[in-house]
Amino acid sequence: MKKLGLLLVAVLMSANVFAKNASLFSYNHAKVEKALVSATALDHFVSNNMLTADQLNVDNPVVANFKASANAPVMGPNSALGIPGFVWGLILGWVGILIVYLVTEDQEETKKALYGCIVGTLLWVGCYFLLWGAIFTSSAAAASSY
């Protein structure tokens, strides 16, 4: 049991070392500005021509850059902090359900958080039984070797 605890501490400490890599959070300001030039052009085009999103012509070269990004998945309007309710329930359990309920006040998102909580609980119970099964198997093998 001490070896398992030591392994767990070693894994957590190594994760802490990787978490201090500040270069992951730096970005090239010029590249961001260059990427936003087309968004600014689209904004001016829409506001000058008084267009809605439904009226945009996709054949227009200004709009063509955004055709691929229009197919990207979008978070639901009622997700808490941009994270789906299922993930809140899966990771945080009943606390995630409570957060989703209090933040969104949406019955469907809360139900998704409940499903995530159920799946997370089943995963934890499954891992628990697998761990005890491995412990009993190794102890039985050790006892029979003597």
Side-chain angles (χ1 to χ4, degrees):
M1 193 64 168
K2 288 182 181 180
K3 289 181 181 180
L4 182 64
L6 183 61
L7 179 66
L8 181 64
V9 168
V11 168
L12 291 176
M13 294 301 273
S14 65
N16 189 24
V17 169
F18 292 122
K20 294 181 181 181
N21 191 357
S23 65
L24 294 174
F25 301 105
S26 63
Y27 66 95
N28 188 344
H29 188 68
K31 285 184 180 180
V32 173
E33 288 295 324
K34 184 179 177 183
L36 289 176
V37 168
S38 59
T40 306
L42 179 63
D43 181 47
H44 289 300
F45 178 75
V46 170
S47 61
N48 290 340
N49 295 322
M50 303 283 229
L51 295 174
T52 63
D54 295 332
Q55 296 171 335
L56 287 176
N57 183 1
V58 183
D59 296 331
N60 188 322
V62 175
V63 181
N65 294 336
F66 293 94
K67 184 177 182 183
S69 64
N71 296 331
V74 180
M75 299 305 298
N78 292 333
S79 57
L81 303 175
I83 301 172
F86 182 84
V87 176
W88 282 104
L90 181 70
I91 303 299
L92 297 178
W94 65 269
V95 176
I97 296 172
L98 183 65
I99 291 171
V100 169
Y101 177 73
L102 294 175
V103 171
T104 65
E105 297 179 356
D106 181 21
Q107 187 176 7
E108 289 300 316
E109 278 296 312
T110 307
K111 196 181 296 184
K112 290 176 186 176
L114 175 66
Y115 294 150
C117 180
I118 292 170
V119 169
T121 303
L122 291 175
L123 287 173
W124 275 108
V125 168
C127 288
Y128 179 79
F129 282 120
L130 283 174
L131 176 68
W132 279 107
I135 290 172
F136 288 136
T137 303
S138 65
S139 65
S144 66
S145 66
Y146 289 115

